[in-house]
Each structure stands twice: as C-alpha cells, then as structure tokens.
Amino acid sequence: DQQVKQNSPSLSVQEGRISILNCDYTNSMFDYFLWYKKYPAEGPTFLISISSIKDKNEDGRFTVFLNKSAKHLSLHIVPSQPGDSAVYFCAAKSGTSYGKLTFGQGTILTVHP
Amino acid sequence: ETGVTQSPTHLIKTRGQQVTLRCSSQSGHNTVSWYQQALGQGPQFIFQYYREEENGRGNFPPRFSGLQFPNYSSELNVNALELDDSALYLCASSLGLENEQFFGPGTRLTVL
C-alpha cells in the first residue's frame, strides 16, 4: 500500500526554466509534508516542508504547494540550476506517528545547461 | 559539528547470515531512525529509537532489531538474511521525536 506516490520517475528541464515535481498521498492523517533531495552516495538532505494548515511555503528558489482536498503537493524550483540535478523525495508524517516519515518513490530531476 | 556517520559503507553477505550496521548520530541528537531503501524505491521506515527505547516500528519482521546506546549511537541487526534484504540502509538522527531528521550516507548491503 503506497501511501505517498510520485508518479513521474524522471523529469528533464532546461537551466533557468521552472521544475515542477509532484506528489500524491492517500492517508488523511498526514499533516506535515517534506521534500528531500538526494545526491548519489549521500543521504537525503532536507529541502523544504509544509504543514497541513498552510497551502504554500517558500524558501528562496523553492516553493511547496499543498492541495489538501486533492491530497496533492508539488515542489516548484525557479529558476532551475544544473546543481539541482538529484533525486527528489516527498515525505509525509502524521502527528500520531512521531518521527516516522513515509516516503514516495522519488523523481530524478536533470537540469541541462 | 560532526554529521551522521554510518559504517560500513558497503557490505556483502550470503543468505542466512547475520549483519550489524552502525550509526553515529549528530552531536546532541537523542533520536535515531532507520530506513531501508530498495533499488528504485523511497526509504521505508524500519524503527526509531529515543533515549535507548524503541519508539515506533514499521512493517518489518522481528529479525530486524536494533539498539541505541547511552551515547545515542545505534545499531541495526538483521538475522537470517534474505535476498530481498539487499538495499541501502539509512540512519537519521534528530533532537527529539518531532524535529528535522538528518540522514547519514547509508550502508549498501548486498545479500547473495
């Protein structure tokens, strides 16, 4: 039972353009969502998060949007840079699950110069 | 400040053997979580330790067990290894149960 899904295994964009990574979830108990970035041979690093009481959170070039009714979140990267090329995971947790993160399968982002 | 470290980096075992993976948490962190990442998948939660006690477990059989030590470092033990246990094992530490988790680089386990 995949409670968090990233349906696009890969995404390719041109440098300077917008990258949009999508994530869907099924568990209504999830109330906090995170995006992680992972480079090869490194662990995932935290990028940005959003609480279910918000619908948008911005941090520099990164913005996360949450649509609770659709159980959908997206990560926008503007402008995209070659250094953004990595695997992006969305993750979710509920208030009752303490630190347990439920991850999606990941999306490989490639930003071409 | 030292980040999360894991050892060994790579490990090859055969079916039926036992393995111990180690994790040193970031300085000051008292919570450690373990995740299994199979090829092409996202990390899956195995269990979490808080102040030396198991605090939450994912859908993994009892042959996956762990320990947390007084210095908050941790071990993941897997008995009776199966081919499907081949994966990247990630350790994450945090200050408390709810705070941001910092991941180590992982241990790549191959079971032949």
Side-chain angles (χ1 to χ4, degrees), chain A residues 43 46 89 93 98-99 101 104, chain B residues 35 37 42 97-98 100-101 104:
Chain A
F46 170 76
F89 292 100
K93 65 178 182 176
Y98 297 100
L101 295 174
Chain B
Y35 293 83
Q37 186 182 4
L97 296 169
E98 293 294 335
E100 180 185 341
Q101 296 184 24

Side-chain angles (χ1 to χ4, degrees), chain B residues 11-19 63 78-86 109-112:
Chain B
L11 202 51
I12 299 175
K13 291 283 188 178
T14 55
R15 268 188 308 174
Q17 284 189 310
Q18 179 266 343
V19 69
R63 59 189 185 85
V78 188
N79 293 323
L81 283 167
E82 301 176 359
L83 296 179
D84 285 349
D85 296 334
S86 295
L109 173 65
T110 302
V111 182
L112 302 175

Side-chain angles (χ1 to χ4, degrees), chain A residues 2 36 38 41-46 89 93-95 97-106, chain B residues 33 35 37 40-45 48 55 58 88 90 97-105:
Chain A
Q2 190 76 31
Y36 283 82
K38 187 180 187 299
E42 294 183 14
T45 55
F46 170 76
F89 292 100
K93 65 178 182 176
S94 72
S97 69
Y98 297 100
K100 174 188 174 182
L101 295 174
T102 301
F103 284 86
Q105 310 95 308
Chain B
S33 302
Y35 293 83
Q37 186 182 4
Q41 301 296 317
Q44 267 198 295
F45 177 78
Q48 181 183 68
N55 180 72
L88 180 69
L90 294 162
L97 296 169
E98 293 294 335
N99 294 324
E100 180 185 341
Q101 296 184 24
F102 293 81
F103 284 83

Side-chain angles (χ1 to χ4, degrees), chain B:
Chain B
E1 184 180 87
T2 308
V4 179
T5 59
Q6 293 185 243
S7 62
T9 307
H10 295 91
L11 202 51
I12 299 175
K13 291 283 188 178
T14 55
R15 268 188 308 174
Q17 284 189 310
Q18 179 266 343
V19 69
T20 297
L21 309 182
R22 293 177 175 82
C23 171
S24 291
S25 57
Q26 189 164 311
S27 177
H29 287 185
N30 55 15
T31 305
V32 171
S33 302
W34 285 92
Y35 293 83
Q36 180 197 66
Q37 186 182 4
L39 201 60
Q41 301 296 317
Q44 267 198 295
F45 177 78
I46 303 175
F47 43 52
Q48 181 183 68
Y49 279 84
Y50 173 65
R51 292 185 175 180
E52 303 178 59
E53 297 282 334
E54 186 180 293
N55 180 72
R57 187 179 182 92
N59 191 25
F60 282 82
R63 59 189 185 85
F64 285 78
S65 63
L67 278 175
Q68 188 179 31
F69 299 100
N71 67 354
Y72 302 130
S73 66
S74 178
E75 284 182 356
L76 164 65
N77 299 290
V78 188
N79 293 323
L81 283 167
E82 301 176 359
L83 296 179
D84 285 349
D85 296 334
S86 295
L88 180 69
Y89 287 85
L90 294 162
C91 163
S93 75
S94 59
L95 179 58
L97 296 169
E98 293 294 335
N99 294 324
E100 180 185 341
Q101 296 184 24
F102 293 81
F103 284 83
T107 293
R108 173 73 61 189
L109 173 65
T110 302
V111 182
L112 302 175

Side-chain angles (χ1 to χ4, degrees), chain A residues 52-112:
Chain A
S52 60
I53 62 173
K54 294 186 171 183
D55 54 18
K56 177 182 172 182
N57 188 27
E58 270 183 276
D59 184 2
R61 298 186 296 116
F62 303 91
T63 303
V64 57
F65 295 91
L66 175 62
N67 182 333
K68 281 179 60 181
S69 60
K71 293 190 175 69
H72 177 84
L73 62 154
S74 60
L75 174 68
H76 293 212
I77 306 174
V78 184
S80 301
Q81 299 173 354
D84 296 329
S85 297
V87 181
Y88 288 77
F89 292 100
C90 71
K93 65 178 182 176
S94 72
T96 59
S97 69
Y98 297 100
K100 174 188 174 182
L101 295 174
T102 301
F103 284 86
Q105 310 95 308
T107 297
I108 301 170
L109 173 65
T110 304
V111 180
H112 299 282

